[in-house]
């Protein structure tokens, strides 16, 4: 396909970019150029459900964004990994399929001043994308390209956890995705028949050979070209060579909440005063670009639980061989799961309303955070308490005018005292769960934070030491009303002050949803394309 013949340039081949390209090229016959900075989606480990645990430790499929020192956490510098591969987060994540609360989306509509982003408007986009292997009703689609199923294996420790919570009076919930996640139950995954279903699998693979779509990997966008207030193309580097492609149509930005604002700022769209300090000509003074960073964060309670109920040393020696053979022959067993099969919801916000803490049952004591030490590798369980609706807000800013340098990132975890209070309550709930039958019958003592940590001050110290990202940064190009000075895009996702430019990824979330962000990000892109093409 020659240059200058595209209707759309999609920047970022992650979850949102794949959905946008799929609809524009496949459904509307538009000519689409999809630019992804990372590599292609080929490695077998990306496609195995259990493979993500090997990826998060640090591979070529990740960009490791190191935060600025977090003063409220004793100046800890943390790592927020982001995908660097076609398919984005959907290719490397834990595959949890969660949507959050109906109220999350209704709040978006209130902030944007329109019902176009309410739960009822978003629900059809979730269902049309979804090919659920279990549910088929008003809340779920069964024929969409994104395959969703129960875990391919559920270990005994996960089952014990679910029974223990029911014994504590928490109701069993068969489906967390009807707009009111609560109780205890099992997560569904973006996987089916023992294989991950990434955005590449769901949306790009059906378009193989489609002349309307060109996908380039290893293509890092440096800036969006804007002339006379209109986006006309992009400047990018592919395999070390500078490239420019121009279009008469639109540029769609979906590089993620940490990179989408960086690209805007490098293009002269952002807080004017900060842009000028780097010698970047100001095209649109938008003070909200890079602000409003939100991310889920959590802290663990870890206990010894010997007896091979979970995943201790299942990836070593004879057990690894047996598990591998079972997977290769039948596409089932321990390799067919993400290893985090059960969760529960707790701590009503300010004593009433919806839960603000989600606890994941991780049937292992492994804890991925490089600056946390002192956790022995033993047979046990981690109860990971996650803050669903953090009040603290961070930011993303330019480190320099060099597009090859990662931006400065400040997630500002726990800077709001209410966040620390809620997470403290979550840790206490996790400890109570360890004492509930039948879980207490297999637990042989708390390891972290340990029996000595009893006061609020003790628990707070543990949280500040261990709190970590849950890999869900959003909000840095947020949507808002026309009179909102910090809104970057309007309800139609057009960037303020620049024609033919939209942001269609998790960056536009004005508030963080109470859930993993992969499914909501896909729904945002699907909704964005519908609005762009005149849908309602």
């Amino acid at each position: 396909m020659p240059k200058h013949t595209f209707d759309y340039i999609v920047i970022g081949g992650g979850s949102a970019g794949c959905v946008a390209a799929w609809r524009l090229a496949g459904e509307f016959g538009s000519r689409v150029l999809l630019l992804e900075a990372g590599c292609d989606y080929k490695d077998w480990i990306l496609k195995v459900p259990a493979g993500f645990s090997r990826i998060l430790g640090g591979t070529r499929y990740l960009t490791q964004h190191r935060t600025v020192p977090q003063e409220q956490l004793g100046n800890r510098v943390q790592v927020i990994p982001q995908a660097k591969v076609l398919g984005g987060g959907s290719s490397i994540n834990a595959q949890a399929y969660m949507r959050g609360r109906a109220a999350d989306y209704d709040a978006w509509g209130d902030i944007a001043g329109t019902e176009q982003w309410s739960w009822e408007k978003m629900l059809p986009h979730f269902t049309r994308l979804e090919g659920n292997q279990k549910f088929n009703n008003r809340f779920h689609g069964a024929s969409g390209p994104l395959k969703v199923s129960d875990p391919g294996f559920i270990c005994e420790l996960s089952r014990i956890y679910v029974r223990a919570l029911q014994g504590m009076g928490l109701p069993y919930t068969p489906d967390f995705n009807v707009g009111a996640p609560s109780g205890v139950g099992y997560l569904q995954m973006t996987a089916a028949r023992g294989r991950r279903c990434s955005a590449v699998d769901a949306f790009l693979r059906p378009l193989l050979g489609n002349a309307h779509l060109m996908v380039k990997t290893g293509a890092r966008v440096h800036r969006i070209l804007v002339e006379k207030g209109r986006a006309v193309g992009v400047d990018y580097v592919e395999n070390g060579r500078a490239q420019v492609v121009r279009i008469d149509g639109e540029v769609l930005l979906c590089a993620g909440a940490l990179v989408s604002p960086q690209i805007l700022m490098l293009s002269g769209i952002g807080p004017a005063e900060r842009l000028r300090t780097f010698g970047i000509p100001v095209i649109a003074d938008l003070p909200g670009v890079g602000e409003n960073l939100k991310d889920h964060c959590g802290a663990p309670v870890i206990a010894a639980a010997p007896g091979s109920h979970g995943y201790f040393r299942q990836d070593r020696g004879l057990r690894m061989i047996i598990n591998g053979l079972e997977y290769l022959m039948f596409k089932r067993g321990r390799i067919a799961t993400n290893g985090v099969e059960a969760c529960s919801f707790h701590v009503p916000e300010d004593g009433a309303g919806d839960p603000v803490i989600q606890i994941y049952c991780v049937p292992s004591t492994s804890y991925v955070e490089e600056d946390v030490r002192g956790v022995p590798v033993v047979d046990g369980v981690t109860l990971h308490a996650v803050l669903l609706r953090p009040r603290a807000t961070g930011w993303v800013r330019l480190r320099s005018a060099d597009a090859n340098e990662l931006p400065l990132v400040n997630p500002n975890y726990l800077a709001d005292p209410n966040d620390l209070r809620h997470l403290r309550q979550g840790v206490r709930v996790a400890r109570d769960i360890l004492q509930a039958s039948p879980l207490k019958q297999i637990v042989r003592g708390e390891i972290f934070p340990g029996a000595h940590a009893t006061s609020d001050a003790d628990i707070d110290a543990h949280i500040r030491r261990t709190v970590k990202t849950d890999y869900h940064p959003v909000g840095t190009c947020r949507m808002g009303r026309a009179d909102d000075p910090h809104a970057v895009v309007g309800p139609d996702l057009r960037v303020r002050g620049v024609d033919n430019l939209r942001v269609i990824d998790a960056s536009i979330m004005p508030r963080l949803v109470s859930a993993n962000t992969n499914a909501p990000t896909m729904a945002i892109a699907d909704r964005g394309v519908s609005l762009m093409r005149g849908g309602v």
Side-chain angles (χ1 to χ4, degrees), residues 52 104 151 163 184 192 208 219 232 241 255 277 320 354 379 412 418 431-432 482 498:
F52 88 97
D104 295 332
R163 295 200 299 272
V184 62
L208 283 175
V232 297
R241 296 179 56 191
T277 64
M320 179 180 68
D354 292 319
D379 197 358
N412 216 20
N418 290 292
R431 291 177 124 178
D432 291 341
V498 182

Side-chain angles (χ1 to χ4, degrees), residues 69-151:
Q70 301 292 283
E71 182 179 356
Q72 72 280 8
L73 306 180
N75 287 322
R76 286 176 63 201
V77 173
Q78 297 173 281
V79 175
I80 303 178
Q82 294 287 276
K84 190 171 59 175
V85 60
L86 194 64
S90 74
S91 296
I92 56 94
N93 65 4
Q95 301 138 86
Y97 184 84
M98 297 284 277
R99 300 171 181 172
R101 307 178 307 151
D104 295 332
Y105 301 93
D106 291 341
W108 291 5
D110 291 342
I111 293 168
T114 173
E115 293 183 355
Q116 294 301 318
W117 288 93
S118 67
W119 168 253
E120 287 301 323
K121 291 292 187 180
M122 288 291 288
L123 184 58
H125 296 280
F126 284 111
T127 58
R128 77 185 298 272
L129 298 180
E130 183 187 16
N132 202 293
Q133 309 295 290
K134 180 178 182 179
F135 299 113
N136 183 20
N137 52 41
R138 185 174 92 84
F139 296 102
H140 292 284
S143 58
L146 182 68
K147 304 310 176 188
V148 178
S149 69
D150 290 344

